[in-house]
Amino acid sequence: MMLLHLVTAALCLGVSVSVSAPGPEKAFEIPPWNFTMFCTLQKQGAIEKHRSWQPREHRNSSSLHSSLSEHMRNANISCSKDQDGFGCCLWKEHWPVQLINEENSIRMDIRCWAHEDLTLFICTLNPQDWKMHTFAKYRMKHRDLLYFDQKESNVSTCVSNCLQQHVIKCTISSLDLNRKYLIWIELITGSGSLQSPMMLVTPINVVKVNPPINLRTEMTVEGIFNLSWSSPSSEPYLLQYEVKYSTGIPERVWKIKDVWQNSLMLHNLESDLSYLIAIRCKRRDGPGFWSDWSEPLHVNVQEITYYPSQVLTTIGSDVTVRCVFYNQTLTNYNVVWWLNMNEKIPEDHYSLINNHETSVTLFNVTSNGQSQFNILQCCLQNEERSICNFRYAEIVILDTKINISCETDGALERMICRWHSSLWKPEAASNYKLKYYIEEFWCDNLEIENNSVDIQDCRVLRNDFGQCHIKPINLTFGHIMWMEFQFRETTFKSAPICVIPMEVVKPLAPSNVEAEIILNGRYLNISWEKPFLPPYAHLFEIQYSEDGIKSNWKTLFSVNETFVITEVADPCVIYIARVRCMRFEGPGYKSEWSSLINTNVTDVQAPTMGPDCWRFIDNDPLTKKSIITLVWKPLTKREAMCTVKGFTLKYQSKENITWLEHVGDVTSYSFPLTDEIKSVSVIAFNSIGSSERNFKLILSKDSSKAEPVLESLHASVINSSCVLLSWRVLPLNCQPTSFVIEWKSLANKHAEDLKWTRASENTTSDCIHDHFYLSVEYQLTVYPIFSETEGQPYRIYMTINNEGEVTRANNTGMQNIILPLVFLSSVLLIGTFLISKQRIRSLVWRDVPNPNKCSWAQGINFKKSASGNTGETVGRKLVVCCNIDGTSLDLHKLEYQWDIPQYAF
């Protein structure tokens, strides 16, 4: 910004800022370090009085002028000026800060050098006022010194624009290192331009070379670390070096040494410390820049060092390992080698190399049990005791018998080879690859070294599993292949194998797989299209499963056919199927499974019968109308054959007039009961037809007035989800065709809580399944069903107490008639026992749930007591025992010695 003010001020005064440069004899020679350009603008009075181009004297300070003059006399300086008092000077060192006039002066730090690749000459300008470069542009001009005096028309001046970033960077390319060039810098603004003094440079004198490379250390026979390195490849002359190293403990203090060669002996390094080493270089004779410091080298000074520290070898090979002791003298008697810390290696395997180094050779190495590496330690022997350092050398045993498996893709275009690489440690190796060549005469000769063939590399795609693709391939020729990689300049190879691509084909999966049920649901037909390649007969493997259960596959096979038909048990389930193929005769792989395909459920025939149905009656005492809610059980797939599209109600009047009503795919339907409706049936239909066998339900407003059918009804608890109902049928001329059991909880008055089930005609007991709660009263009803009517229902009320026993109250039906009869029967039974002439030995109960608190009994077996004989069954009689006035009739008291006539019952 200050330089911009100077230029602007000069332009406002009508002063030209084109600066006339001095001749080459007064040019400033660019040094191999930083230098300074200082510019100042004199006042007009000072210009007229003083024509010299020294900075003007600072106001109120005579001592400052004397210091500045002395500084200029002692420094190598080059100046340029114009006739109006504006001038710039170049200094080999920085301008003293205290001599700068902030208002009328500007300072710019400059550094110029030949780049390390010897193709570029670079100058960086660092203005004191950082804002200045945003308002101006810079460019650097140069001319060969030999042509300086020639006319402008004959010799061109080369111009290079400068890049302006955090510093201003000017670059010139293609300079001859050994020629001299005149260089100057121009600053350009909207008001004019300002030119620096002439600068003279020979690029060879300001070269900044690359830092040294390949830093390495090695232990000498004397136990001293030898540091060596390589010179940069672009060096134009002999170099000198500067080495610095430090431990960083307790703080990094660098030791610096000047070196004229490419190596240095590092004496007096301390054990068990880590050193950081860096090197830089410059021209040995003449001026030049120091290079940057090299990449640091970390050196761990260990008490003992193994060479090599890790060995990769194969089973049966011989291995030699050296160890070097730092600051320790060795003899043939104070060294011992141990294998895996428990096996002492015989002394005839040792070799003492020098006072600090020894070696051991292991012959015919093998793996260490399950482990694939061995630990080798070199220790000092003190009489009977071995002193071992915690460091060791690792011997990794490689099994070169690698299992390589290959498969040819179904398009016969490439062969994919895979192998497991866990034992090969690919992270420690380079050039990890599979190599192969093609043998035209099958696989007669398995040789890796074959100079007459073209050995090719197969690029590894994944190191974790190991896979590569070989393309192109010859289907009928042998491909000889092996694994190969390098580790520390050693090449390892596995045993070769031979693969013929045509024998390892993995076909493509069959396509367009279809499955359907045919022939009235008896058979499953699965069809597919076989792959176009390879062109040989295929064996197809077919799997199918019912209801999509993949764990229950059934397998079929087909040779070179594209369909298979198999008989199935259930046509109404969904079948899933898949197909894969392989070569029918000869080697090869199975293809992948095709995509899963499933059958569609279709109706095989009309439903075999309609659903079982029942009705719930809702009588309105006010209107005296009855609403019938008809409910029915869902059909099974076998009954529906295979689906149900909906249901139709078939009504029948007393005059045998019938009519139909379609109700859709529901399980209940309500309608008012009229005098015309005598019965109703539920008909199921699907896409093929309607059911012909259907349940006929006789409808009656009040079935309680029908003829009594049941003599008794009893409930007993099996568990919380099962109650056993038992009933007894009165002697009738016509037996019921079935029984319908209804039950509901009286704690909830909702109609949907009423449940039902049907029992067959030849049973007198049935289990009802529900969740029964304690202390909740349930209503249980049994309806006898005849072909053309309903019998009188029998109803009881049940409550389950905390002991899981059933208590009963307010039974209806025949209970009022049965109780007196039961009481009379009991009295007659006791009287019969009293007049008996036989002696009762024991009284045995059969099928009595609780004899001590008897509510009923199916029968009693009586056994007589004969002389010397065991009991013999002589009679059986059904006896009913029930509670009378809250007390129990305990029949165990009948075990008195009464005489009963034989076959009294």
Side-chain angles (χ1 to χ4, degrees), residues 575-756:
Y575 292 88
I576 59 172
R578 62 183 183 180
V579 186
R580 66 179 178 182
C581 62
M582 68 201 78
R583 189 174 184 176
F584 175 51
E585 292 180 341
Y589 292 96
K590 294 180 179 180
S591 73
E592 299 291 341
W593 286 105
S594 66
S595 300
L596 289 175
I597 193 70
N598 59 274
T599 60
N600 296 319
V601 177
T602 58
D603 298 323
V604 177
Q605 62 183 50
T608 56
M609 61 183 303
D612 189 4
C613 59
W614 184 238
R615 84 293 176 277
F616 301 136
I617 303 176
D618 185 12
N619 294 315
D620 189 346
L622 297 179
T623 61
K624 295 184 179 181
K625 293 183 179 181
S626 299
I627 299 298
I628 298 294
T629 299
L630 197 65
V631 294
W632 53 90
K633 306 285 187 181
L635 292 179
T636 65
K637 288 185 293 184
R638 186 175 296 277
E639 293 171 340
M641 300 299 291
C642 292
T643 64
V644 173
K645 303 299 183 182
F647 297 94
T648 301
L649 300 186
K650 179 181 180 182
Y651 300 97
Q652 184 178 5
S653 68
K654 296 177 182 179
E655 291 78 17
N656 292 330
I657 299 174
T658 61
W659 66 95
L660 303 177
E661 182 180 4
H662 179 67
V663 296
D665 188 11
V666 295
T667 57
S668 65
Y669 186 73
S670 298
F671 58 89
L673 180 61
T674 62
D675 294 336
E676 290 82 12
I677 301 177
K678 176 184 178 183
S679 64
V680 64
S681 301
V682 181
I683 302 172
F685 65 89
N686 58 17
S687 59
I688 295 180
S690 301
S691 59
E692 296 182 358
R693 294 175 53 208
N694 303 292
F695 284 93
K696 183 179 180 181
L697 192 63
I698 305 299
L699 300 178
S700 175
K701 291 185 178 180
D702 188 4
S703 60
S704 62
K705 297 179 181 180
E707 181 182 359
V709 177
L710 300 183
E711 183 180 2
S712 63
L713 179 61
H714 171 74
S716 59
V717 177
I718 305 301
N719 53 49
S720 62
S721 61
C722 178
V723 170
L724 176 65
L725 280 184
S726 300
W727 58 87
R728 181 176 176 81
V729 182
L730 292 172
L732 298 171
N733 293 329
C734 182
Q735 295 296 320
T737 59
S738 64
F739 298 92
V740 174
I741 304 171
E742 272 186 8
W743 71 95
K744 70 175 180 178
S745 168
L746 297 182
N748 197 336
K749 301 301 183 180
H750 296 293
E752 58 268 18
D753 291 336
L754 190 62
K755 301 177 183 179
W756 69 281

Side-chain angles (χ1 to χ4, degrees), residues 14 128 156 267 276 461 676 706 743 809 842:
Q128 182 189 24
S156 61
H267 297 274
L276 191 67
L461 299 182
E676 290 82 12
W743 71 95
S842 63

Side-chain angles (χ1 to χ4, degrees), residues 428-458:
S430 60
N431 300 326
Y432 182 63
K433 62 186 68 176
L434 182 142
K435 290 194 171 186
Y436 71 97
Y437 65 88
I438 299 178
E439 179 63 58
E440 297 183 1
F441 302 101
W442 296 84
C443 296
D444 297 334
N445 187 15
L446 293 181
E447 293 183 357
I448 294 179
E449 303 297 336
N450 192 339
N451 297 326
S452 61
V453 298
D454 182 17
I455 298 178
Q456 302 183 51
D457 294 342
C458 181

Side-chain angles (χ1 to χ4, degrees), residues 786-809:
F786 295 89
S787 59
E788 294 296 333
T789 185
E790 290 183 12
Q792 186 180 111
Y794 198 103
R795 179 176 297 128
I796 63 173
Y797 296 89
M798 176 187 71
T799 303
I800 304 174
N801 59 24
N802 293 332
E803 287 77 20
E805 300 173 346
V806 175
T807 60
R808 185 183 306 176

Side-chain angles (χ1 to χ4, degrees), residues 51-68:
R51 299 306 296 175
S52 64
W53 292 100
Q54 298 178 358
R56 70 180 183 85
E57 181 179 352
H58 193 278
R59 291 178 297 177
N60 303 326
S61 177
S62 58
S63 60
L64 181 62
H65 176 72
S66 60
S67 300
L68 179 59

